[in-house]
Amino acid sequence: MATPPPVATLKMVTLDCGDPGPSAAFWSALLGWQQAYGDDNYAMLTGPEHALGFGRVEGYEAPVWPNPHGTKQFHLDLAVDDLDAAEQACLDLGATRPEAQPGEGRWRVLLDPAGHPFCLTRADAWGS
Protein backbone atom coordinates (compact mmCIF):
# COMPACT_ATOMS: atom_id res chain seq x y z
CA MET A 1 0.00 0.00 0.00
CA ALA A 2 1.42 3.38 -1.00
CA THR A 3 1.96 6.04 1.63
CA PRO A 4 -0.24 9.09 0.97
CA PRO A 5 1.51 12.42 0.48
CA PRO A 6 1.96 14.47 3.65
CA VAL A 7 -0.59 17.13 4.53
CA ALA A 8 1.99 19.48 6.10
CA THR A 9 5.68 20.15 6.72
CA LEU A 10 7.11 20.80 10.20
CA LYS A 11 8.64 24.29 10.29
CA MET A 12 8.83 25.29 13.95
CA VAL A 13 8.43 24.03 17.50
CA THR A 14 7.33 26.66 20.04
CA LEU A 15 8.20 26.25 23.72
CA ASP A 16 6.16 27.82 26.50
CA CYS A 17 8.22 29.88 28.95
CA GLY A 18 7.97 32.66 31.50
CA ASP A 19 10.37 35.00 29.68
CA PRO A 20 11.25 34.49 25.99
CA GLY A 21 14.49 36.52 26.09
CA PRO A 22 16.64 34.27 28.29
CA SER A 23 15.24 31.14 26.66
CA ALA A 24 16.06 32.44 23.17
CA ALA A 25 19.55 33.52 24.28
CA PHE A 26 20.26 30.08 25.78
CA TRP A 27 19.11 28.09 22.75
CA SER A 28 20.73 30.52 20.31
CA ALA A 29 24.07 30.02 22.01
CA LEU A 30 23.58 26.28 22.36
CA LEU A 31 22.50 25.66 18.76
CA GLY A 32 24.32 28.51 17.02
CA TRP A 33 21.03 29.72 15.53
CA GLN A 34 20.26 33.39 14.89
CA GLN A 35 17.43 35.20 16.65
CA ALA A 36 15.03 36.27 13.90
CA TYR A 37 12.48 37.98 16.15
CA GLY A 38 12.01 38.94 19.76
CA ASP A 39 9.72 41.01 21.97
CA ASP A 40 8.42 40.74 25.53
CA ASN A 41 6.01 37.96 24.60
CA TYR A 42 7.71 35.98 21.86
CA ALA A 43 11.09 35.15 20.36
CA MET A 44 12.07 33.02 17.36
CA LEU A 45 15.35 31.44 16.31
CA THR A 46 15.99 30.24 12.78
CA GLY A 47 18.02 27.13 12.07
CA PRO A 48 19.09 25.47 8.84
CA GLU A 49 15.70 23.86 8.18
CA HIS A 50 13.47 24.63 11.16
CA ALA A 51 12.71 27.39 13.63
CA LEU A 52 12.42 27.35 17.41
CA GLY A 53 9.97 29.70 19.10
CA PHE A 54 9.50 30.79 22.70
CA GLY A 55 6.12 32.08 23.85
CA ARG A 56 5.46 33.84 27.15
CA VAL A 57 2.81 32.16 29.28
CA GLU A 58 1.57 34.13 32.29
CA GLY A 59 1.97 32.09 35.44
CA TYR A 60 4.30 29.68 33.62
CA GLU A 61 5.36 26.69 35.66
CA ALA A 62 8.45 24.86 34.49
CA PRO A 63 7.99 21.15 33.85
CA VAL A 64 9.35 18.58 36.25
CA TRP A 65 11.05 15.36 35.31
CA PRO A 66 9.44 12.99 35.28
CA ASN A 67 6.27 14.95 34.64
CA PRO A 68 3.42 13.22 36.49
CA HIS A 69 0.81 15.66 35.11
CA GLY A 70 1.62 15.53 31.37
CA THR A 71 1.04 19.26 30.99
CA LYS A 72 1.57 21.05 27.66
CA GLN A 73 4.91 22.75 27.22
CA PHE A 74 5.17 23.18 23.43
CA HIS A 75 3.21 23.07 20.19
CA LEU A 76 4.02 22.36 16.55
CA ASP A 77 3.79 24.92 13.74
CA LEU A 78 3.06 23.26 10.39
CA ALA A 79 3.42 24.91 6.97
CA VAL A 80 0.64 24.19 4.46
CA ASP A 81 -0.19 25.41 0.95
CA ASP A 82 -3.93 25.87 1.60
CA LEU A 83 -5.17 26.62 5.13
CA ASP A 84 -8.76 25.55 4.45
CA ALA A 85 -7.83 22.28 2.75
CA ALA A 86 -5.22 21.42 5.38
CA GLU A 87 -7.60 22.23 8.21
CA GLN A 88 -10.22 19.94 6.70
CA ALA A 89 -7.65 17.17 6.22
CA CYS A 90 -6.64 17.50 9.87
CA LEU A 91 -10.26 17.45 11.02
CA ASP A 92 -10.82 14.35 8.88
CA LEU A 93 -7.87 12.71 10.64
CA GLY A 94 -9.41 13.39 14.07
CA ALA A 95 -8.28 16.91 15.02
CA THR A 96 -10.71 19.41 16.50
CA ARG A 97 -10.84 23.18 16.15
CA PRO A 98 -11.09 25.17 19.39
CA GLU A 99 -13.23 28.30 19.41
CA ALA A 100 -10.31 30.62 20.30
CA GLN A 101 -8.43 31.42 17.09
CA PRO A 102 -5.74 34.10 17.51
CA GLY A 103 -3.69 35.40 14.61
CA GLU A 104 -6.35 37.17 12.54
CA GLY A 105 -6.53 34.39 9.96
CA ARG A 106 -2.77 34.03 9.48
CA TRP A 107 -2.85 30.61 11.09
CA ARG A 108 -5.29 28.05 12.46
CA VAL A 109 -5.04 26.47 15.87
CA LEU A 110 -6.21 22.86 16.05
CA LEU A 111 -6.07 20.16 18.71
CA ASP A 112 -4.79 16.67 18.08
CA PRO A 113 -6.90 13.76 19.38
CA ALA A 114 -5.12 13.94 22.76
CA GLY A 115 -5.80 17.68 23.04
CA HIS A 116 -2.31 18.92 22.14
CA PRO A 117 -2.52 22.23 20.25
CA PHE A 118 -0.75 22.76 16.92
CA CYS A 119 -0.86 25.54 14.35
CA LEU A 120 -1.31 25.47 10.59
CA THR A 121 0.31 28.38 8.76
CA ARG A 122 0.59 29.25 5.09
CA ALA A 123 3.81 27.84 3.59
CA ASP A 124 4.47 31.08 1.72
CA ALA A 125 4.73 32.87 5.08
CA TRP A 126 7.83 30.75 5.75
CA GLY A 127 9.46 31.47 2.41
CA SER A 128 8.75 27.89 1.27
Side-chain angles (χ1 to χ4, degrees), residues 4 10 22 25 36 64 72 100 106 113 126:
L10 177 66
V64 296
K72 179 242 183 211
R106 294 180 308 218
W126 294 96

Side-chain angles (χ1 to χ4, degrees), residues 16-24 39-43 54-57 60:
D16 289 351
C17 60
D19 186 352
S23 292
D39 64 27
D40 289 342
N41 293 306
Y42 189 79
F54 306 93
R56 177 186 301 280
V57 172
Y60 173 76

Side-chain angles (χ1 to χ4, degrees), residues 34-46:
Q34 296 297 312
Q35 184 167 331
Y37 179 81
D39 64 27
D40 289 342
N41 293 306
Y42 189 79
M44 183 175 74
L45 307 179
T46 53

Side-chain angles (χ1 to χ4, degrees), residues 71-96:
T71 54
K72 179 242 183 211
Q73 294 293 322
F74 66 92
H75 70 266
L76 301 177
D77 289 288
L78 306 173
V80 300
D81 291 326
D82 181 319
L83 279 174
D84 293 328
E87 178 181 10
Q88 188 58 55
C90 291
L91 295 172
D92 291 346
L93 291 170
T96 57

